[in-house]
């Protein structure tokens, strides 16, 4: 499965996590990976960059991943973007909340590159 023409955005306040996700996306042959430290920065970047996928952490300062997801889904131009939520929150109510907000899929930390790729394959047709 090749994502070679696609641009992904990784949103996480923890630079090490951004680096891990960036490496997985590069290994999956994404053309470009844009990074943001929080949902507010990500939403601003979405106004000027064409992105094919958002991979966002849930818990971040300034704006959470869930708030970003809701803003993306409410935006006519962005609402169809595949949105993969990366979270340490495995509680059922959090997952239900994300599903209600129309998250495309979610992956619980810690995860392997194989699990990440599997979750991605379910939301981006090859």
């Amino acid at each position: 499965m090749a994502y070679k023409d696609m641009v992904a955005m990784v949103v996480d306040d923890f630079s090490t996590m951004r680096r891990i996700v960036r490496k997985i996306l590069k290994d999956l042959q994404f053309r470009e990976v844009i990074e943001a430290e929080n949902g507010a920065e990500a939403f601003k970047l979405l106004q000027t960059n064409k992105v094919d996928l958002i991979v966002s952490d849930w818990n971040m300062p300034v704006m959470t991943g869930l708030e970003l997801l809701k803003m993306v889904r409410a935006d006519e131009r962005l609402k169809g973007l595949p949105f993969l939520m990366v979270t340490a929150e495995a509680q059922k109510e959090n997952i239900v909340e994300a599903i209600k907000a129309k998250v495309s899929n979610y992956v619980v930390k810690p995860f392997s590159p194989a699990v990440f790729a599997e979750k991605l394959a379910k939301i981006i047709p090859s």
Side-chain angles (χ1 to χ4, degrees):
M1 180 172 308
Y3 303 104
K4 65 183 183 305
D5 296 328
M6 299 181 92
V7 177
M9 177 180 283
V10 179
V11 190
D12 199 308
D13 57 319
F14 192 44
S15 62
T16 303
M17 197 65 211
R18 287 198 310 271
R19 202 165 44 245
I20 291 166
V21 174
R22 170 188 278 277
K23 180 174 183 336
I24 294 170
L25 292 168
K26 285 292 187 186
D27 289 348
L28 291 169
Q29 299 182 329
F30 271 80
R31 180 170 56 87
E32 188 181 345
V33 180
I34 299 169
E35 295 184 25
E37 287 186 20
N38 59 60
E41 185 185 322
F43 197 74
K44 193 173 172 190
L45 285 167
L46 286 168
Q47 305 311 307
T48 54
N49 293 275
K50 185 189 177 315
V51 171
D52 302 294
L53 166 72
I54 299 170
V55 179
S56 178
D57 186 25
W58 185 301
N59 292 315
M60 296 176 287
V62 186
M63 182 192 290
T64 68
L66 187 65
E67 290 168 320
L68 174 62
L69 171 62
K70 288 176 178 176
M71 285 182 71
V72 166
R73 291 298 180 242
D75 187 301
E76 199 53 43
R77 211 173 41 84
L78 305 171
K79 68 181 183 189
L81 272 177
F83 197 112
L84 182 63
M85 187 77 77
V86 178
T87 181
E89 310 288 333
Q91 291 94 340
K92 190 167 185 251
E93 58 271 16
N94 287 32
I95 292 163
V96 167
E97 196 177 351
I99 290 168
K100 278 185 189 161
K102 297 186 172 66
V103 74
S104 306
N105 209 337
Y106 59 90
V107 60
V108 178
K109 295 178 196 173
F111 53 84
S112 67
V115 166
F116 186 93
E118 191 181 297
K119 295 283 186 176
L120 199 55
K122 289 182 176 160
I123 62 174
I124 298 179
S126 56

